[in-house]
Amino acid sequence: MDGPTRAATRLDRAWSTLEQHRDRVAPLHLRDLFAGDPDRFQRFTLRHEDLLFDYAKQRVTTETMALLHELARAADLAGWIDRMFSGEHINPTEDRAAFHVALRSRSTAPMRVDGRDVMPDVRAVLERMRAFADRVRAGEWAGATGRPVRAVVNIGIGGSDLGPVMADQALIHWRHPGIDIRYVSNIEGADLTGALRDLDPATTLFIVASKTFTTQETMTNATSARAWLVGTLGEAAVSRHFVAVSTNLQAVAAFGIEAENAFGFWDWVGGRYSLWSAIGLPVMIGIGPEAFDRLLDGAHAIDRHFRDAPLDANLPVAMALIGIWNTNFLGARTHAVLPYDQGLRRFPAYLQQLEMESNGKSVDRDGRPVRHATSPVVFGEPGTNGQHAFVQLFHQGTDPVPTDFLAPVEPNHDLTDHHDILLANMVAQAQALAIGEDEPEARAAMIAAGIDRATADRLAPHRTFPGNRPSSTFLFRRLDPFTLGRLVALYEHKVFVQGVIWGVNPFDQWGVELGKTLARKVLPELSLDALPAEGQDASTAGLIAYIKATRAASDPPAALARLGSPQT
Ligand code: F6P
């Protein structure tokens, strides 16, 4: 048997051993697992300094974890981790490294891609970012009229938006009080007009953030923002009010942004891993270079842990394997992330891109159909808001939703009584999901509360909680830049581990392309003077025709003029 065949056989064996194990343990309820093991909390928690990861409420046993570790070994996880940290081209469809770990490396060791140490370039860009952020924060970066910048508008989308927005909101307590930072991502014009409504062009700085500098939404928003600025301050003002972050410095220059106002990064930085690069510039302006360094420190600390910790003590590995267990063996198709911290309210949205754009794939690295389910649908809202919305389904719906709860033990505000209520709710939700309340218990509780027996009997099925619904809980001392860096890196590596085990390439995103191509074809067909759409399916043609007819009806003279009607 050759090497690859032997590896495939080992992987198949690991999957089927886990399937047999699942058949044995699936009937066990989390109640039984807790009753049978008083040390379950100690056994199924991991720590990184003050950060605790409790997965005791997952439907796993020690044997489950051992078999999952064997699955990771069979997928050559250690080899893949090594390849990632060695700058190998682990993104085969784009023939690139995925080397975001270099962006936050705090060591003096070289980090090589294609034989070249990238660290001098990484440090040089960070240094320029620091100098620029310091000038803006100190009021030394003057606009065209000589007045200092007071508002920064980041224009970007996807990875060029979600990471910075998420981090900015999470670290709001570190934010410079005199600088207003806003984010525009959507092509829907209300996003840009809303952001600019009360801004003064003379004190506004735009950051155009786009890895490719070709993204339709970003370039359209940037062009409109430029027109807004030039309309008041004139063309010459652009160089004082626009900076860019991109890998495509030629396109940046073509847009009219000078080289000294451009911050570069590299093709080995994936969009959804770019927060650590110059894409983090608005965050650095907001929280300052020192706090940004702490963010990088946190991510680097997890990089080292991920690379060096043994499988059974490795947090991202545990997170990934538990996700695989829930998805591939217990049949979950969703995954909820519920941060009990208002600052982390965009964390689920950030993770949606990280997880679903990375692992939402149906073919493996070699282009063959995958044999197992890949990324679940990820969603979430901050607690306790979610409790008053979708959490009903978590407790009593037909499909369990594996959930991650996250909370700081200490808040970044003084309302400690609020925080106690918050934490009590989070802990109780995880308990209710796991332990539940069976029908006799539900009936007894109602009778104890004075409800008559007939009513209690009638309501008992509705007031029963099956429990056995898995969740993990992350607790950390405080949400600060270091911990945010750790949290993001934990999830990044989790996604990587899952990609390795599912055999997919988590670093490309070809699935976003078809819609972009089709939109380019549809766009001219929406024009009133365009001929009826050809080659479109009936539904698409019907929608295009409806848009045109509605426009023509709501503005007949203009429509007729554009149609060249003799009546005009
Ligand atoms: O459309 C998806 C995507 O390519 C993401 O992967 C990326 O983060 C986003 O668009 C923005 O791309 P860019 O930074 O090149 O504008």
mmCIF file of all heavy atoms in Angstrom, residues 437 439-452 455-464:
data_model
loop_
_atom_site.group_PDB
_atom_site.id
_atom_site.type_symbol
_atom_site.label_atom_id
_atom_site.label_comp_id
_atom_site.label_asym_id
_atom_site.label_seq_id
_atom_site.Cartn_x
_atom_site.Cartn_y
_atom_site.Cartn_z
ATOM 1 N N GLU A 437 -35.632 19.596 31.636
ATOM 2 C CA GLU A 437 -36.596 19.313 32.701
ATOM 3 C C GLU A 437 -37.604 18.327 32.119
ATOM 4 O O GLU A 437 -38.297 18.665 31.144
ATOM 5 C CB GLU A 437 -37.296 20.620 33.123
ATOM 6 C CG GLU A 437 -38.181 20.445 34.336
ATOM 7 C CD GLU A 437 -38.698 21.790 34.866
ATOM 8 O OE1 GLU A 437 -39.555 22.384 34.184
ATOM 9 O OE2 GLU A 437 -38.252 22.231 35.936
ATOM 10 N N GLU A 439 -40.868 15.514 31.863
ATOM 11 C CA GLU A 439 -42.297 15.780 32.047
ATOM 12 C C GLU A 439 -42.728 15.696 33.518
ATOM 13 O O GLU A 439 -43.408 16.607 33.999
ATOM 14 C CB GLU A 439 -43.106 14.837 31.148
ATOM 15 C CG GLU A 439 -44.405 15.472 30.740
ATOM 16 C CD GLU A 439 -45.125 14.724 29.633
ATOM 17 O OE1 GLU A 439 -44.511 14.497 28.574
ATOM 18 O OE2 GLU A 439 -46.310 14.393 29.850
ATOM 19 N N PRO A 440 -42.316 14.645 34.237
ATOM 20 C CA PRO A 440 -42.718 14.619 35.661
ATOM 21 C C PRO A 440 -42.199 15.845 36.419
ATOM 22 O O PRO A 440 -42.910 16.415 37.255
ATOM 23 C CB PRO A 440 -42.069 13.335 36.189
ATOM 24 C CG PRO A 440 -41.823 12.489 34.986
ATOM 25 C CD PRO A 440 -41.632 13.424 33.830
ATOM 26 N N GLU A 441 -40.992 16.264 36.111
ATOM 27 C CA GLU A 441 -40.443 17.451 36.798
ATOM 28 C C GLU A 441 -41.240 18.699 36.438
ATOM 29 O O GLU A 441 -41.534 19.537 37.293
ATOM 30 C CB GLU A 441 -38.972 17.663 36.412
ATOM 31 C CG GLU A 441 -38.023 16.658 37.044
ATOM 32 C CD GLU A 441 -36.629 16.694 36.427
ATOM 33 O OE1 GLU A 441 -36.474 17.126 35.257
ATOM 34 O OE2 GLU A 441 -35.690 16.263 37.104
ATOM 35 N N ALA A 442 -41.591 18.816 35.174
ATOM 36 C CA ALA A 442 -42.358 19.990 34.736
ATOM 37 C C ALA A 442 -43.721 20.011 35.439
ATOM 38 O O ALA A 442 -44.177 21.051 35.933
ATOM 39 C CB ALA A 442 -42.541 19.960 33.221
ATOM 40 N N ARG A 443 -44.327 18.809 35.536
ATOM 41 C CA ARG A 443 -45.653 18.719 36.184
ATOM 42 C C ARG A 443 -45.527 19.069 37.666
ATOM 43 O O ARG A 443 -46.303 19.862 38.199
ATOM 44 C CB ARG A 443 -46.187 17.290 35.992
ATOM 45 C CG ARG A 443 -47.660 17.157 36.301
ATOM 46 C CD ARG A 443 -48.174 15.753 36.017
ATOM 47 N NE ARG A 443 -48.177 15.408 34.610
ATOM 48 C CZ ARG A 443 -47.428 14.467 34.044
ATOM 49 N NH1 ARG A 443 -46.566 13.774 34.770
ATOM 50 N NH2 ARG A 443 -47.528 14.202 32.760
ATOM 51 N N ALA A 444 -44.528 18.511 38.306
ATOM 52 C CA ALA A 444 -44.345 18.750 39.746
ATOM 53 C C ALA A 444 -44.096 20.235 40.011
ATOM 54 O O ALA A 444 -44.621 20.801 40.976
ATOM 55 C CB ALA A 444 -43.186 17.911 40.261
ATOM 56 N N ALA A 445 -43.340 20.870 39.132
ATOM 57 C CA ALA A 445 -43.040 22.296 39.337
ATOM 58 C C ALA A 445 -44.329 23.112 39.230
ATOM 59 O O ALA A 445 -44.543 24.065 40.001
ATOM 60 C CB ALA A 445 -42.027 22.769 38.304
ATOM 61 N N MET A 446 -45.185 22.742 38.295
ATOM 62 C CA MET A 446 -46.445 23.487 38.145
ATOM 63 C C MET A 446 -47.336 23.291 39.368
ATOM 64 O O MET A 446 -47.927 24.239 39.889
ATOM 65 C CB MET A 446 -47.170 23.041 36.869
ATOM 66 C CG MET A 446 -46.570 23.639 35.610
ATOM 67 S SD MET A 446 -47.524 23.251 34.137
ATOM 68 C CE MET A 446 -46.893 21.648 33.724
ATOM 69 N N ILE A 447 -47.428 22.054 39.838
ATOM 70 C CA ILE A 447 -48.285 21.788 41.003
ATOM 71 C C ILE A 447 -47.745 22.542 42.220
ATOM 72 O O ILE A 447 -48.498 23.170 42.973
ATOM 73 C CB ILE A 447 -48.418 20.263 41.227
ATOM 74 C CG1 ILE A 447 -49.316 19.697 40.098
ATOM 75 C CG2 ILE A 447 -49.018 19.940 42.592
ATOM 76 C CD1 ILE A 447 -49.299 18.220 39.963
ATOM 77 N N ALA A 448 -46.419 22.534 42.356
ATOM 78 C CA ALA A 448 -45.807 23.269 43.477
ATOM 79 C C ALA A 448 -46.111 24.758 43.378
ATOM 80 O O ALA A 448 -46.186 25.461 44.382
ATOM 81 C CB ALA A 448 -44.304 23.036 43.497
ATOM 82 N N ALA A 449 -46.325 25.237 42.158
ATOM 83 C CA ALA A 449 -46.615 26.670 41.975
ATOM 84 C C ALA A 449 -48.118 26.945 42.073
ATOM 85 O O ALA A 449 -48.575 28.056 41.795
ATOM 86 C CB ALA A 449 -46.087 27.132 40.625
ATOM 87 N N GLY A 450 -48.903 25.905 42.468
ATOM 88 C CA GLY A 450 -50.325 26.120 42.722
ATOM 89 C C GLY A 450 -51.230 25.849 41.527
ATOM 90 O O GLY A 450 -52.426 26.154 41.577
ATOM 91 N N ILE A 451 -50.704 25.299 40.466
ATOM 92 C CA ILE A 451 -51.531 25.007 39.288
ATOM 93 C C ILE A 451 -52.259 23.679 39.531
ATOM 94 O O ILE A 451 -51.662 22.725 40.061
ATOM 95 C CB ILE A 451 -50.647 24.947 38.017
ATOM 96 C CG1 ILE A 451 -50.081 26.343 37.748
ATOM 97 C CG2 ILE A 451 -51.405 24.420 36.810
ATOM 98 C CD1 ILE A 451 -49.098 26.425 36.628
ATOM 99 N N ASP A 452 -53.552 23.604 39.161
ATOM 100 C CA ASP A 452 -54.295 22.377 39.430
ATOM 101 C C ASP A 452 -53.790 21.231 38.556
ATOM 102 O O ASP A 452 -53.192 21.446 37.505
ATOM 103 C CB ASP A 452 -55.799 22.609 39.242
ATOM 104 C CG ASP A 452 -56.132 22.878 37.796
ATOM 105 O OD1 ASP A 452 -56.259 21.920 37.016
ATOM 106 O OD2 ASP A 452 -56.194 24.093 37.422
ATOM 107 N N THR A 455 -54.746 20.983 34.751
ATOM 108 C CA THR A 455 -54.019 21.963 33.917
ATOM 109 C C THR A 455 -52.557 21.549 33.788
ATOM 110 O O THR A 455 -51.961 21.626 32.708
ATOM 111 C CB THR A 455 -54.122 23.365 34.536
ATOM 112 O OG1 THR A 455 -55.488 23.657 34.766
ATOM 113 C CG2 THR A 455 -53.518 24.429 33.622
ATOM 114 N N ALA A 456 -51.981 21.093 34.907
ATOM 115 C CA ALA A 456 -50.564 20.670 34.880
ATOM 116 C C ALA A 456 -50.395 19.514 33.894
ATOM 117 O O ALA A 456 -49.427 19.490 33.121
ATOM 118 C CB ALA A 456 -50.114 20.260 36.267
ATOM 119 N N ASP A 457 -51.327 18.575 33.894
ATOM 120 C CA ASP A 457 -51.240 17.433 32.955
ATOM 121 C C ASP A 457 -51.304 17.926 31.517
ATOM 122 O O ASP A 457 -50.579 17.472 30.648
ATOM 123 C CB ASP A 457 -52.408 16.457 33.188
ATOM 124 C CG ASP A 457 -52.156 15.607 34.418
ATOM 125 O OD1 ASP A 457 -50.990 15.583 34.886
ATOM 126 O OD2 ASP A 457 -53.122 14.976 34.916
ATOM 127 N N ARG A 458 -52.214 18.881 31.274
ATOM 128 C CA ARG A 458 -52.396 19.380 29.905
ATOM 129 C C ARG A 458 -51.166 20.143 29.428
ATOM 130 O O ARG A 458 -50.739 20.021 28.287
ATOM 131 C CB ARG A 458 -53.649 20.287 29.864
ATOM 132 C CG ARG A 458 -54.016 20.819 28.489
ATOM 133 C CD ARG A 458 -55.406 21.459 28.505
ATOM 134 N NE ARG A 458 -55.522 22.526 29.485
ATOM 135 C CZ ARG A 458 -55.073 23.774 29.317
ATOM 136 N NH1 ARG A 458 -54.478 24.105 28.189
ATOM 137 N NH2 ARG A 458 -55.209 24.672 30.266
ATOM 138 N N LEU A 459 -50.594 20.926 30.340
ATOM 139 C CA LEU A 459 -49.461 21.780 29.930
ATOM 140 C C LEU A 459 -48.107 21.066 29.970
ATOM 141 O O LEU A 459 -47.145 21.530 29.356
ATOM 142 C CB LEU A 459 -49.396 23.025 30.818
ATOM 143 C CG LEU A 459 -50.526 24.036 30.621
ATOM 144 C CD1 LEU A 459 -50.301 25.242 31.543
ATOM 145 C CD2 LEU A 459 -50.604 24.504 29.169
ATOM 146 N N ALA A 460 -48.048 19.955 30.692
ATOM 147 C CA ALA A 460 -46.725 19.322 30.920
ATOM 148 C C ALA A 460 -45.940 19.073 29.626
ATOM 149 O O ALA A 460 -44.752 19.405 29.567
ATOM 150 C CB ALA A 460 -46.898 18.040 31.721
ATOM 151 N N PRO A 461 -46.544 18.530 28.554
ATOM 152 C CA PRO A 461 -45.730 18.296 27.344
ATOM 153 C C PRO A 461 -45.165 19.593 26.763
ATOM 154 O O PRO A 461 -44.075 19.601 26.192
ATOM 155 C CB PRO A 461 -46.716 17.665 26.359
ATOM 156 C CG PRO A 461 -47.887 17.224 27.165
ATOM 157 C CD PRO A 461 -47.927 18.082 28.385
ATOM 158 N N HIS A 462 -45.932 20.684 26.946
ATOM 159 C CA HIS A 462 -45.467 21.969 26.402
ATOM 160 C C HIS A 462 -44.371 22.580 27.262
ATOM 161 O O HIS A 462 -43.613 23.412 26.789
ATOM 162 C CB HIS A 462 -46.635 22.960 26.319
ATOM 163 C CG HIS A 462 -47.755 22.451 25.466
ATOM 164 N ND1 HIS A 462 -47.736 22.533 24.100
ATOM 165 C CD2 HIS A 462 -48.907 21.799 25.807
ATOM 166 C CE1 HIS A 462 -48.840 21.979 23.610
ATOM 167 N NE2 HIS A 462 -49.568 21.528 24.626
ATOM 168 N N ARG A 463 -44.348 22.177 28.525
ATOM 169 C CA ARG A 463 -43.398 22.802 29.452
ATOM 170 C C ARG A 463 -42.223 21.880 29.784
ATOM 171 O O ARG A 463 -41.532 22.084 30.761
ATOM 172 C CB ARG A 463 -44.154 23.268 30.705
ATOM 173 C CG ARG A 463 -45.226 24.291 30.329
ATOM 174 C CD ARG A 463 -45.822 24.993 31.503
ATOM 175 N NE ARG A 463 -44.820 25.694 32.287
ATOM 176 C CZ ARG A 463 -45.102 26.617 33.211
ATOM 177 N NH1 ARG A 463 -46.366 26.952 33.410
ATOM 178 N NH2 ARG A 463 -44.162 27.203 33.895
ATOM 179 N N THR A 464 -42.060 20.871 28.930
ATOM 180 C CA THR A 464 -40.959 19.929 29.121
ATOM 181 C C THR A 464 -39.750 20.369 28.299
ATOM 182 O O THR A 464 -39.907 20.863 27.181
ATOM 183 C CB THR A 464 -41.421 18.521 28.665
ATOM 184 O OG1 THR A 464 -42.444 18.096 29.553
ATOM 185 C CG2 THR A 464 -40.279 17.523 28.662
#
